[in-house]
Amino acid sequence: MRKVVYFVHQSADGFIEGPAGEFDWPTMGRELSDYSHELTDRADVFMYGRLVWDMMSSYWPSAETISDDPHDLRFAPVWRKTPKIVFSNTLTEADWNTRVIGGDIGARLAELKKEEGGELLLMGGSKLASKLTELGLIDEYHVVVHPVLLGGGKPVFAPADSRVRLRLVETRAFDGTTVLLRYDRV
């Protein structure tokens, strides 16, 4: 069975974006970039909620004309060629080798997990990750903590009705600035 892996960047105070929705604070050093590429190499599908999709699809198709960052230059072609899924009840179609899945996302993702293939990599987004956590569909959590206090904003996980137990399987520092916390669902 395929695994769903959640890869997310968060501030030291637990937010995925700042009070004004800003996501200009993550630092992508060489070691973290290499780790990110290890994850994308294992996956054969990238998954997003609609809000993160909007951000990703506005940047990665033409990242080479916007940025000279080595991570961006290396990841942009990977992003374009990798199949993607957007979970949304408002979006009906998307470009860049992407299919949109609406309706009962839990049932649809459970079906995808049964198919042959590599990992399903969920990138960012708190609403979709919270829903999939609630449904027991995320197998691994790769949380990268960045050295910034945002003082508010959107939390990495929305408040939940029940507790979810996780097992710490790895910690790692990257570039002397960020820390990975990798958990499996218990």
Side-chain angles (χ1 to χ4, degrees), residues 21 23 48-67 72 75-76 79-80 84 86 91 94-96 98:
F23 190 70
Y48 306 99
R50 192 197 54 79
L51 294 177
V52 175
W53 167 254
D54 288 346
M55 180 182 68
M56 299 295 271
S57 65
S58 70
Y59 183 76
W60 291 112
S62 57
E64 295 94 339
T65 65
I66 301 168
S67 173
D72 292 1
F75 182 66
W79 186 87
R80 286 191 296 267
K84 292 164 277 300
V86 179
L91 191 67
D95 293 331
W96 300 105
T98 305

Side-chain angles (χ1 to χ4, degrees), residues 9-16 25 144-152 156:
H9 300 273
Q10 77 166 44
S11 65
D13 55 350
F15 297 99
I16 194 169
W25 47 268
V144 178
V145 180
H146 291 262
V148 62
L149 300 172
L150 297 176
V156 174

Side-chain angles (χ1 to χ4, degrees), residues 68-126:
D68 61 358
D69 180 89
H71 171 78
D72 292 1
L73 298 176
R74 184 175 168 198
F75 182 66
V78 173
W79 186 87
R80 286 191 296 267
K81 76 173 182 172
T82 302
K84 292 164 277 300
I85 294 173
V86 179
F87 292 95
S88 175
N89 288 318
T90 57
L91 191 67
T92 56
E93 59 183 45
D95 293 331
W96 300 105
N97 196 16
T98 305
R99 63 183 157 150
V100 178
I101 294 178
D104 185 349
I105 63 170
R108 299 293 301 276
L109 185 53
E111 291 170 11
L112 288 169
K113 286 181 75 167
K114 292 177 186 174
E115 294 176 2
E116 293 292 320
E119 293 176 347
L120 303 164
L121 184 60
L122 174 61
M123 294 187 189
S126 62

